[in-house]
Amino acid sequence: MDLQTQLEDLKTATLEKISATKELAEVEKIRVETLGKKGPITEVLRGMKDLSAEERPKVGAFANQIRDLLTEAIEEKKTVLNQVALEAALAKETIDVTLPGKQISQGSRHVLTQIMEEIEDTFVGMGYQIIEGNEVETDHYNFERMNLPKDHPARDMQDTFYLSDDLLLRTHTSPVQARTMEDHDFSKGALRMISPGKVFRRDTDDATHSHQFHQIEGLVIDKGITMADLKGTLETMLKTLFGEDRNVRLRPSYFPFTEPSVEVDVSCFKCGGKGCNVCKYTGWIEILGAGMVHPNVLEMSGIDPTIYSGFAFGLGPDRIAMLRYGVNDIRNFYLNDVRFLEQFKGE
Ligand code: DAH
């Protein structure tokens, strides 16, 4: 078979292969096999040295022609297959903008966190610092420094989870008072702090008791602090929380770490004081305990009670949330049931 016929056959066979394939990789394989350095065309061109001087340019020109033709056919096929691949990809990635969107459920801050942050904001606005205390405390700070020596009967008021003889889960946020007082540098001015956090009691859980709940401790120490400062401060806070029209009432009470001690009531935010089921028909709702810091507590923290005085208070965000939202079981706050929590989605 002469070279021209060989080339002619090669052309026909290659064009058929090109037309039959649907794979880009296959087209590239054909190119390498046919036009590459080890392919038949290169072979033919290499064999030309044996041809006569007359035939050589003819065969050479023909071989070049075939090479160009096949190169073009291969390029064309590649363009076509690339286009097909692109169209397939586009079709696959089409987004139907008329389909309904997926519902993404958005979380929110826990209702108790919301209430605590609201109270924190009120006090930060009055120049208080926010102090974080320890959930694991020593007996010393939780009790002794709060004027509750080991044999003090008022220790029974707070059933305690002991971790060892000296370590316990704090039963109230009051130990933060002692820790803050002993650290405070009074040459730099008054001490004004609140401390929100978890507290723990060995209670049997029921609708109004949980072995874990929250408190916010408040403490102000300076020269010349009086009961009037305490009342004014609590009035500001309670009006922010329950509305401008609220009245505040102090009743004598007892806490070992304050003298005198008071229980603080706010006029009922539901009935305005006329009497309803929220205030148990008394017109008043008991909200917190407070008092003037006991001289013993000041002294134990290295503060001279003849120079300095102060007030303290402790309130329960859980109780405030229950009152405000009519939640009748404290355990709901700790069950992590999204259906319950979702009702308090803040902004
Ligand atoms: N620590 C008290 C309790 O858990 C609450 C309390 C009452 C805190 C009066 C105070 C206070 O700072 O002055 O029952």
Side-chain angles (χ1 to χ4, degrees):
M1 212 193 304
D2 67 9
L3 280 177
Q4 293 222 8
T5 321
Q6 271 185 42
L7 286 168
E8 199 59 63
D9 287 354
L10 179 69
K11 181 182 95 179
T12 318
T14 309
L15 286 177
E16 263 170 30
K17 271 200 237 165
I18 293 171
S19 126
T21 184
K22 290 193 168 60
E23 300 293 331
L24 263 176
E26 186 68 20
V27 180
E28 178 59 12
K29 209 172 127 205
I30 295 170
R31 188 188 69 76
V32 173
E33 273 171 13
T34 319
L35 305 173
K37 279 199 184 102
K38 290 179 188 148
I41 295 204
T42 315
E43 195 71 8
V44 168
L45 292 171
R46 218 174 271 145
M48 286 202 327
K49 61 181 188 316
D50 303 327
L51 294 177
S52 65
E54 200 180 293
E55 263 183 315
R56 208 178 291 155
K58 273 202 249 160
V59 174
F62 190 60
N64 281 337
Q65 201 188 328
I66 302 254
R67 193 185 53 200
D68 293 348
L69 186 136
L70 290 179
T71 305
E72 206 175 300
I74 284 167
E75 284 315 307
E76 223 168 77
K77 183 75 181 193
K78 279 187 176 172
T79 312
V80 169
L81 289 182
N82 273 326
Q83 187 63 27
V84 169
L86 178 67
E87 273 163 25
L90 286 176
K92 211 167 95 190
E93 288 165 20
T94 304
I95 295 167
D96 182 351
V97 291
T98 65
L99 284 174
K102 277 190 194 141
Q103 283 290 340
I104 297 170
S105 70
Q106 219 179 359
S108 64
R109 285 168 312 147
H110 193 280
V111 55
L112 293 177
T113 309
Q114 290 178 35
I115 296 230
M116 287 195 284
E117 286 181 357
E118 193 180 322
I119 297 169
E120 285 168 25
D121 282 350
T122 310
F123 281 102
V124 167
M126 294 193 280
Y128 284 58
Q129 2 164 17
I130 298 175
I131 307 280
E132 260 191 65
N134 309 326
E135 288 174 5
V136 172
E137 256 305 352
T138 57
D139 185 278
H140 177 73
Y141 279 99
N142 194 81
F143 290 126
E144 314 247 337
R145 291 284 293 272
M146 287 293 108
N147 205 25
L148 278 148
K150 286 240 169 4
D151 55 355
H152 198 288
R155 280 196 179 206
D156 291 348
M157 285 161 69
Q158 303 183 353
D159 275 333
T160 311
F161 285 115
Y162 278 93
L163 303 174
S164 68
D165 282 350
D166 296 324
L167 279 184
L168 44 80
L169 295 181
R170 67 176 176 188
T171 56
H172 52 175
T173 44
S174 299
V176 186
Q177 287 189 29
R179 289 190 176 274
T180 314
M181 273 188 259
E182 66 187 14
D183 286 346
H184 189 75
D185 179 357
F186 282 92
S187 70
K188 300 222 167 82
L191 163 60
R192 288 187 205 89
M193 73 90 179
I194 59 163
S195 183
K198 290 194 184 79
V199 299
F200 308 85
R201 303 248 175 117
R202 263 183 57 191
D203 263 331
T204 311
D205 290 2
D206 62 24
T208 52
H209 295 87
S210 167
H211 60 280
Q212 175 205 293
F213 57 104
H214 293 81
Q215 284 190 343
I216 298 181
E217 195 75 16
L219 177 70
V220 171
I221 311 272
D222 201 0
K223 289 177 185 156
I225 298 289
T226 69
M227 202 93 180
D229 298 307
L230 170 65
K231 191 171 185 211
T233 305
L234 294 179
E235 247 172 30
T236 305
M237 174 190 69
L238 292 172
K239 286 182 177 201
T240 313
L241 274 176
F242 294 106
E244 269 307 306
D245 300 336
R246 299 287 77 79
N247 292 316
V248 172
R249 168 175 96 169
L250 307 186
R251 276 180 295 112
S253 184
Y254 171 77
F255 298 104
F257 28 87
T258 44
E259 182 56 37
S261 302
V262 289
E263 219 122 6
V264 182
D265 300 341
V266 65
S267 59
C268 182
F269 56 88
K270 188 165 177 214
C271 63
K274 283 196 221 71
C276 69
N277 58 342
V278 171
C279 59
K280 306 220 175 68
Y281 301 94
T282 63
W284 295 94
I285 298 173
E286 186 189 318
I287 279 295
L288 53 85
M292 300 308 290
V293 178
H294 197 293
N296 289 352
V297 172
L298 291 173
E299 232 158 33
M300 281 187 277
S301 297
I303 298 169
D304 185 346
T306 62
I307 302 173
Y308 288 97
S309 59
F311 65 76
F313 59 88
L315 66 116
D318 304 68
R319 187 169 149 71
I320 291 175
M322 288 172 82
L323 287 166
R324 195 198 265 184
Y325 298 116
V327 174
N328 51 22
D329 194 326
I330 191 173
R331 291 170 292 192
N332 283 318
F333 295 130
Y334 301 102
L335 292 175
N336 287 333
D337 185 333
V338 175
R339 291 167 301 178
F340 172 77
L341 296 172
E342 260 178 356
Q343 301 175 93
F344 310 103
K345 275 197 173 168
E347 279 77 56

